[in-house]
Amino acid sequence: QDAGCLHPRHQPVIIAMTVGFAFANAPSGGGFGFVNDNKSASATTPSFRSSRCGGANATSNLDNRDGPSSSSSSSSSSSSTSLSSPPSVRALAWDPTGTASLCLCSVPTSSGKRGGTGGKKNVDLDVFLSHDGTGCPTEETECLLRCLDARGECMAHAQQRPTWYLRRHGGNGKGEAAAKLSMDYRAAMCECLMRLQGKENSDSLDDERNNNLELLRLTYAISHLAEIFLLPSLASSIDVPARPISSSGGFCDGSVGRIDGPAGSLTADVVRYLRLHHSAGSFMESPEVAEMLRSDQPEYYEFPPSSGTDSILPGPYDRPYWNLLLRFVSQGQLSNAWNLLSHHSACRRAEEEMEGAGGGELSPEGEGFATLRALLISAPIPGGRGDRYCDDAGLDDYLEGELLEREEDEWDGEEEGGTDYPGDINETLIDGVPPNAYLLWESLPRRADKLRTLRHRRDLRRCGERVDGDEAVSESTMVPEAYQPREAMNAFRTWQETIRVTAFPSGVGSGGGFVLSALFQRFPPLPQIISILLGAPPLFDTRGHFSWSQVLLMELLYARPDMMPEDIATRARVAMSKCGGGGDSRRSGDSNQQLQEIILSIMNGSAGQVVETMFSLCGGSSGAAFPATMTSLLCNLLVDAGCIFPYEDDSSSTPSANIQTELLLLAAESIISSFAIQEQSDVGVRTAVRLLLPHAPPKKRVAPLRGGADENAESNGAKDDIIYEPRIAAMIAETISRRLPSTDAEARDLVQLCEETIRLGSVLVADACESLAFSRALHHNKCSNLTREVYWLLRGMEAQSSWLPEDRRRTLGFACRRRFDLLCEGSANDLISVLSGAAITNFSANSEKEKHEKEMLMALQAAEDVLEGVLQDDVMVPVLRGHVEANLLQYAVDIALADAKGDAVQVAADIVHCLEECGLSGVDCTGVVSTLADPKMYSEFLCIAFALLAKEESFEYGRPMEFAKCAFTVHGMHILMARLTQVLSWEGIICSSHGSSLGWLSKEPSLSTKEYFSAMRLAFSKGLMRAFVSHGTSTTVKTDDKMGFGEALDEELELLLSPCI
């Protein structure tokens, strides 16, 4: 069981066992492995009073992402318990409202009171969680659900792809889908991070929540890095076939072709990664920087000592202005760098002088700033210049295009507001360097240029400027469709040559040219910072001022933008060694060193390192729902992309664990237990089921032949072999079976989620869905809602008899069918019993008559409710054709309604249908001859027929025999007399000599009973006489086509069977 084991002679401690398995070919000390670890599950009291047996303390492991709870129950007092001691647990069961809570009821003490109750009526229960759950905040829950939605859309889109697409793209089609799905995951995490950071800025979060935020940032960074170096890009033209997976199985390092791409193909993505995850972000929006820019001379401004901003803006210069400018330039945020320079006092003075002169010539300093603006905002560097038309997260290229096009189509011409006039983004400031030249480093430059134009047009709409129809967005033919290294490098070299000629005509450090000489002479830090754009080493000591990410950024941006992808990890290691392990100040030295080794390993193509890091450092093993789920989802992505082989080669004698399955199960358990402690078990169960369902259906085995001969195909299991992971299906079934839905909507949603898996042949999930439907039927039974009870019983029967494949179907299911049969038969019998009572009773008082009428209405209403629930189900009506109990119920209702209308002929026909013997239809009833009515109800039907014939006889009294009428046909009278013979035999009124000799009858019927049945026999005989006169001697029977069931009965049996024959 998932919960482990429970020894009856010791204190109730649930032991969670983790099966040991390891990742193959994972770096860092021989790989990553799970160890056999026994931990006591934490106890909690989610919804009622609880105490621990043996005095152990109950612990709660809320929002602890560093690892599972280390709480344990003391067993020292139980170690001395003798083997003959009575069990300490009387009963145990899963809490149906908690799904992960095991409830234990202790044995009563000698005084008759359960331990700890103190004589009260309530019972103390020990409650244990089957798995460690740490809860799931609202933001993480929404992110998790959004990731599952994205995976569902991706799978639905993959199923709709035509065959020609798969043949044309081969394995790249699957890789492209994995890359898009990874972007969806990161977009969800990005939104979650923004919301959590907003709370962090507004509220004082506790240490645990801060820890969760750090782990989410790390998860975001690892997934981004894996997407760059392991998953194929969206540009299928640059994808190369993945390297073959190692023969030893497990993780195959460097198994994806992006590392083998052309020079510079990963530079833009790596630049975005370093900016987003390893820089302190832009300081332009901080209050301290805003105050500095509002000052008269920002270049000489100093932060107040109490602000603490100097500590986050370190640098080689005394003034924070120049340190901030150096930070922007070193990170390639040239748009922010020019924004900062535009606030320089000399720049503002030059602009004021030009405006005062009516737009005349610029001063030397003004010309210098204009030149700097052209150099900075025209830079064709990879990853963009940091303006609002490029995305540092690398997500908008995939997610924003369709939204912008739809907004443009729906624009009504009104000014939206919220932005300044964007100007002309296509203005060329440097000859030979188009303003969109930085897009040449993207994998899909033409699509990126189209998105840039859409963003600019969005800003124009916000300003209220109408764009003419002939300026419609179209793909520019000047930009290549895919990445071209030569074109990108030509624009980059032209830009750097312009800087060299304009700023440093005599070489770096020799002073500026004629245009920039005035600025360089007045502000010495400026030429040192601008020289970085040429890719030259900085003219100042960088030790202690630059982190490894800044050093690598400067090399990728200005020195070697065409770096080969496989060299990036090497250059990153060199940068880390130069900076002495410097990095994030929020982490300790050992933590930084460990993180750097992880980054280098992933840059080298180690997919195993991604899963190891997610599991060990990002909280995947902590029992928290979100990190465990993201670990599993990323592992699935890497498996789908061919980066990871989920299990060892099965040639070895020792069976290996499937890492994909293990992480899926761990994530599902974390989800269930985390939401259970938050009393949101409905969300937890649905989320866990959604996570597991895509991996539950059976699949075709794909395995090469070991012997290489066709005759060995059958023995190797590689031909026509269906395989599936039974543990996944078992987990889904167990999860659903533990949950008691609180509403029909919840139950219906769970059943509909599982329908496709059941149709693919999962019997375990079908059994669980039947159990779920049965629980809802019992709920409606307690509420006396028979129609809804029937509805859910039919849903359980449908899952077993219609959804499963034909070779695995169970005829109408198990528990639901038995309950449905009892419900139909019981409702019919109750109604017939009331009718029979009215037939043999003379009500002398009005009160008795009213009481009987009330009983009649209640029985009829109950039967009609059940029948209505059946007839409203269009799916199950054809399946129930020939169903004995359903047909009996319909005939019973027809008898009651026809009796109320006074239609004696219809009543007689329905009674005959219920009592005549016929061959039952159905697979499991072939050859069986029986009646619709249960034999114990024969006498009830006969009483109704007796009353009908007696009334008919009194009406025909005195009339000539040749005009006699009878509601029953001759065939019907034969059926009644045959059933009467059986009832008389059972009542002991008549019996065969053989039965008497064997002593079958042990009771003597009363005199009144004998007289009643004697009168019944006489009435049946007279009725047979009238039937001969009225209907002739023909015994042909017309088969009624009953509403909803059709051919409910087969042809009549000519031979009337009875015990006396």
Side-chain angles (χ1 to χ4, degrees):
Q1 297 292 332
D2 287 347
C5 58
L6 180 68
H7 201 286
R9 293 188 298 273
H10 294 77
Q11 295 182 7
V13 178
I14 307 303
I15 306 298
M17 303 290 294
T18 304
V19 179
F21 61 92
F23 296 135
N25 299 334
S28 303
F32 156 59
F34 291 97
V35 296
N36 292 329
D37 191 13
N38 301 340
K39 301 180 181 67
S40 299
S42 56
T44 182
T45 56
S47 58
F48 44 83
R49 187 167 177 258
S50 174
S51 65
R52 294 278 298 221
C53 293
N57 295 324
T59 61
S60 180
N61 187 23
L62 297 176
D63 263 343
N64 178 15
R65 304 296 173 84
D66 293 331
S69 171
S70 60
S71 61
S72 61
S73 300
S74 174
S75 60
S76 59
S77 60
S78 63
S79 60
S80 59
T81 306
S82 62
L83 296 179
S84 60
S85 301
S88 60
V89 177
R90 182 177 185 180
L92 67 160
W94 291 103
D95 177 12
T97 62
T99 66
S101 302
L102 187 65
C103 306
L104 291 83
C105 181
S106 58
V107 175
T109 61
S110 58
S111 61
K113 300 176 181 179
R114 290 180 175 87
T117 60
K120 298 181 181 179
K121 293 183 179 180
N122 61 317
V123 178
D124 291 341
L125 296 177
D126 298 319
V127 182
F128 295 89
L129 291 181
S130 59
H131 306 92
D132 286 330
T134 63
C136 190
T138 303
E139 294 80 10
E140 293 186 2
T141 301
E142 294 179 0
C143 179
L144 192 153
L145 296 177
R146 183 175 171 183
C147 290
L148 293 181
D149 291 339
R151 186 190 64 170
E153 293 177 2
C154 180
M155 296 178 63
H157 180 70
Q159 293 176 355
Q160 296 174 358
R161 284 178 175 172
T163 307
W164 62 265
Y165 180 90
L166 299 176
R167 286 199 301 264
R168 176 178 298 179
H169 291 79
N172 290 334
K174 207 170 193 179
E176 180 183 354
K180 290 181 178 179
L181 187 55
S182 176
M183 290 183 180
D184 287 328
Y185 291 163
R186 287 200 299 115
M189 284 188 284
C190 180
E191 182 178 353
C192 180
L193 265 174
M194 292 175 62
R195 296 179 61 183
L196 289 176
Q197 287 172 349
K199 285 188 175 182
E200 183 185 31
N201 296 332
S202 60
D203 302 329
S204 57
L205 300 181
D206 53 19
D207 294 338
E208 290 183 354
R209 291 189 177 272
N210 282 328
N211 182 42
N212 296 346
L213 189 58
E214 287 300 315
L215 292 179
L216 182 57
R217 290 193 182 106
L218 182 58
T219 301
Y220 187 34
I222 294 299
S223 62
H224 194 180
L225 195 63
E227 180 184 308
I228 295 173
F229 286 93
L230 299 175
L231 299 180
S233 71
L234 296 178
S236 58
S237 59
I238 66 171
D239 290 340
V240 298
R243 298 175 184 174
I245 297 176
S246 63
S247 58
S248 61
F251 296 123
C252 183
D253 296 340
S255 60
V256 179
R258 289 200 73 185
I259 298 181
D260 300 328
S265 58
L266 290 187
T267 304
D269 291 326
V270 175
V271 166
R272 279 191 285 264
Y273 165 79
L274 293 174
R275 285 175 179 172
L276 183 62
H277 304 288
H278 296 278
S279 64
S282 175
F283 293 93
M284 295 299 290
E285 298 178 357
S286 65
E288 294 80 7
V289 173
E291 181 67 25
M292 178 184 70
L293 297 181
R294 285 194 297 266
S295 63
D296 295 335
Q297 292 182 315
E299 63 273 17
Y300 297 110
Y301 182 86
E302 292 185 2
F303 293 120
S306 59
S307 65
T309 310
D310 287 330
S311 61
I312 60 176
L313 282 177
Y317 305 111
D318 296 334
R319 307 295 180 182
Y321 181 88
W322 300 109
N323 289 331
L324 183 58
L325 181 62
L326 175 62
R327 181 183 294 271
F328 285 151
V329 173
S330 64
Q331 294 178 359
Q333 303 283 353
L334 301 185
S335 178
N336 288 333
W338 166 245
N339 187 12
L340 183 63
L341 282 174
S342 66
H343 288 80
H344 195 284
S345 61
C347 182
R348 288 187 293 193
R349 184 169 54 254
E351 185 179 359
E352 292 172 356
E353 291 175 356
M354 185 187 67
E355 293 178 354
E361 294 183 358
L362 291 171
S363 63
E365 292 182 354
E367 290 184 1
F369 279 109
T371 301
L372 287 178
R373 174 180 177 273
L375 294 176
L376 292 177
I377 66 175
S378 297
I381 56 178
R385 299 178 289 263
D387 55 26
R388 59 190 175 190
Y389 300 114
C390 61
D391 179 37
D392 285 340
L395 294 173
D396 287 350
D397 288 344
Y398 166 57
L399 299 174
E400 194 181 7
E402 295 181 0
L403 176 63
L404 291 175
E405 290 180 347
R406 186 166 57 252
E407 289 179 355
E408 182 166 325
D409 293 338
E410 297 174 355
W411 185 53
D412 55 4
E414 296 183 1
E415 181 178 352
E416 300 177 10
T419 185
D420 298 330
Y421 183 73
D424 184 10
I425 62 172
N426 295 319
E427 179 186 4
T428 301
L429 301 177
I430 299 178
D431 293 336
V433 183
N436 60 348
Y438 70 92
L439 298 176
L440 296 175
W441 297 101
E442 303 296 331
S443 58
L444 294 173
R446 187 174 299 178
R447 190 171 72 174
D449 183 63
K450 178 181 178 181
L451 184 61
R452 174 176 177 266
T453 305
L454 286 171
R455 289 170 176 162
H456 179 245
R457 292 165 65 90
R458 174 197 58 193
D459 289 346
L460 291 177
R461 291 196 306 272
R462 291 177 177 176
C463 296
E465 181 173 337
R466 182 178 296 275
V467 182
D468 296 334
D470 56 352
E471 298 182 15
V473 178
S474 60
E475 295 183 354
S476 174
T477 56
M478 302 299 295
V479 180
E481 176 69 24
Y483 169 66
Q484 300 293 336
R486 183 174 299 177
E487 294 188 18
M489 280 302 299
N490 288 339
F492 179 79
R493 291 192 181 107
T494 302
W495 173 71
Q496 279 198 336
E497 183 63 23
T498 303
I499 296 175
R500 188 174 291 107
V501 172
T502 305
F504 306 102
S506 302
V508 177
S510 60
F514 175 76
V515 178
L516 296 176
S517 58
L519 292 179
F520 285 0
Q521 291 174 4
R522 284 194 58 187
F523 309 107
L526 189 58
Q528 298 177 358
I529 297 175
I530 296 301
S531 66
I532 296 177
L533 301 179
L534 294 176
L539 301 177
F540 49 84
D541 187 8
T542 61
R543 289 178 299 179
H545 301 305
F546 282 177
S547 65
W548 71 268
S549 59
Q550 288 178 289
V551 173
L552 182 60
L553 266 173
M554 288 189 294
E555 184 174 3
L556 292 173
L557 288 169
Y558 309 121
R560 296 179 58 188
D562 59 342
M563 185 181 298
M564 294 296 296
E566 63 264 25
D567 294 338
I568 294 178
T570 302
R571 300 309 303 168
R573 185 179 294 277
V574 172
M576 292 173 185
S577 61
K578 283 183 178 180
C579 297
D584 194 343
S585 60
R586 294 171 295 187
R587 297 186 176 93
S588 62
D590 294 339
S591 177
N592 273 324
Q593 185 68 26
Q594 183 182 14
L595 181 59
Q596 290 174 8
E597 292 297 328
I598 291 172
I599 292 172
L600 293 175
S601 179
I602 298 175
M603 285 182 173
N604 282 318
S606 173
Q609 185 66 63
V610 176
V611 184
E612 176 185 354
T613 305
M614 291 292 298
F615 186 84
S616 58
L617 294 183
C618 297
S621 61
S622 65
F626 180 75
T629 304
M630 292 309 304
T631 302
S632 176
L633 292 178
L634 286 180
C635 178
N636 295 338
L637 270 181
L638 297 175
V639 170
D640 293 340
C643 306
I644 294 177
F645 199 61
Y647 46 83
E648 294 278 352
D649 192 350
D650 55 4
S651 58
S652 60
S653 58
T654 304
S656 60
N658 187 322
I659 176 61
Q660 192 176 12
T661 299
E662 298 295 336
L663 291 178
L664 279 168
L665 295 177
L666 180 63
E669 293 161 356
S670 300
I671 291 172
I672 293 171
S673 55
S674 293
F675 283 97
I677 65 175
Q678 297 179 172
E679 298 185 1
Q680 294 177 331
S681 295
D682 53 341
V683 180
V685 169
R686 188 183 190 279
T687 305
V689 171
R690 288 185 60 193
L691 174 68
L692 296 175
L693 275 176
H695 305 274
K699 302 175 183 178
K700 281 280 188 181
R701 180 189 297 274
V702 180
L705 299 179
R706 302 187 190 282
D710 294 338
E711 58 268 21
N712 295 331
E714 294 291 341
S715 60
N716 290 331
K719 182 178 179 181
D720 297 332
D721 190 7
I722 298 294
I723 63 169
Y724 70 101
E725 179 53 66
R727 297 176 61 197
I728 298 289
M731 183 65 184
I732 295 175
E734 183 177 358
T735 301
I736 295 177
S737 300
R738 289 185 192 173
R739 174 62 184 166
L740 183 63
S742 57
T743 62
D744 283 357
E746 180 187 351
R748 188 183 304 109
D749 187 36
L750 289 175
V751 173
Q752 290 175 351
L753 279 176
C754 301
E755 179 177 355
E756 182 179 357
T757 303
I758 297 174
R759 292 187 183 277
L760 294 175
S762 181
V763 178
L764 287 175
V765 179
D767 292 340
C769 287
E770 184 186 12
S771 174
L772 190 70
F774 186 72
S775 67
R776 290 309 298 168
L778 293 181
H779 167 76
H780 288 295
N781 176 263
K782 294 179 181 179
C783 299
S784 300
N785 191 340
L786 295 178
T787 303
R788 299 303 298 171
E789 180 183 1
V790 171
Y791 170 83
W792 282 108
L793 292 175
L794 293 178
R795 295 288 69 76
M797 296 162 64
E798 180 185 6
Q800 294 284 1
S801 58
S802 298
W803 291 355
L804 283 172
E806 293 185 1
D807 58 334
R808 300 188 180 190
R809 287 180 183 173
R810 287 88 175 272
T811 306
L812 299 181
F814 298 103
C816 286
R817 176 182 182 175
R818 290 193 294 269
R819 178 66 186 174
F820 179 75
D821 292 349
L822 291 175
L823 183 61
C824 291
E825 185 177 4
S827 300
N829 291 346
D830 291 342
L831 182 57
I832 294 300
S833 297
V834 175
L835 291 173
S836 174
I840 62 177
T841 305
N842 294 323
F843 301 103
S844 58
N846 291 333
S847 59
E848 295 180 356
K849 186 176 182 181
E850 292 176 357
K851 180 180 178 181
H852 171 75
E853 290 177 353
K854 185 177 181 180
E855 293 177 353
M856 172 69 74
L857 290 176
M858 292 178 59
L860 180 59
Q861 184 63 48
E864 285 184 332
D865 289 344
V866 175
L867 186 61
E868 181 183 3
V870 176
L871 297 180
Q872 287 179 350
D873 199 312
D874 297 333
V875 176
M876 290 302 295
V877 163
V879 180
L880 292 175
R881 181 169 298 174
H883 187 268
V884 174
E885 288 78 10
N887 279 276
L888 174 63
L889 176 63
Q890 186 168 18
Y891 282 121
V893 173
D894 289 347
I895 290 173
L897 295 178
D899 180 67
K901 296 177 182 179
D903 189 352
V905 176
Q906 184 63 43
V907 173
D910 291 334
I911 291 176
V912 171
H913 281 303
C914 294
L915 293 179
E916 70 176 336
E917 291 175 323
C918 61
L920 301 181
S921 61
V923 178
D924 56 350
C925 299
T926 303
V928 177
V929 177
S930 182
T931 59
L932 293 181
D934 189 90
K936 66 181 180 181
M937 295 300 296
Y938 284 173
S939 59
E940 309 289 344
F941 282 97
L942 293 178
C943 290
I944 299 174
F946 178 31
L948 183 63
L949 290 173
K951 183 178 180 181
E952 185 181 85
E953 182 182 357
S954 63
F955 179 76
E956 296 290 339
Y957 181 76
R959 297 181 63 183
M961 181 58 66
E962 58 269 19
F963 300 108
K965 299 292 183 181
C966 183
F968 292 91
T969 62
V970 175
H971 167 77
M973 294 308 304
H974 286 173
I975 297 298
L976 292 179
M977 299 184 75
R979 299 293 86 77
L980 178 59
T981 303
Q982 288 180 282
V983 171
L984 294 177
S985 177
W986 297 335
E987 292 290 338
I989 299 176
I990 63 171
C991 62
S992 63
S993 58
H994 179 65
S996 299
S997 63
L998 293 178
W1000 287 352
L1001 302 177
S1002 60
K1003 65 177 182 178
E1004 181 68 22
S1006 63
L1007 180 60
S1008 60
T1009 302
K1010 291 182 179 181
E1011 292 177 351
Y1012 179 78
F1013 281 107
S1014 177
M1016 182 184 295
R1017 174 184 288 182
L1018 178 60
F1020 285 2
S1021 299
K1022 292 180 180 180
L1024 179 59
M1025 179 179 60
R1026 291 195 304 274
F1028 273 115
V1029 174
S1030 177
H1031 302 285
T1033 58
S1034 174
T1035 59
T1036 303
V1037 181
K1038 294 182 180 179
T1039 303
D1040 293 338
D1041 188 9
K1042 281 295 177 183
M1043 177 179 55
F1045 298 106
E1047 300 170 358
L1049 300 175
D1050 298 332
E1051 295 183 357
E1052 64 161 318
L1053 298 178
E1054 296 295 338
L1055 179 62
L1056 302 180
L1057 301 179
S1058 69
C1060 295
I1061 299 178

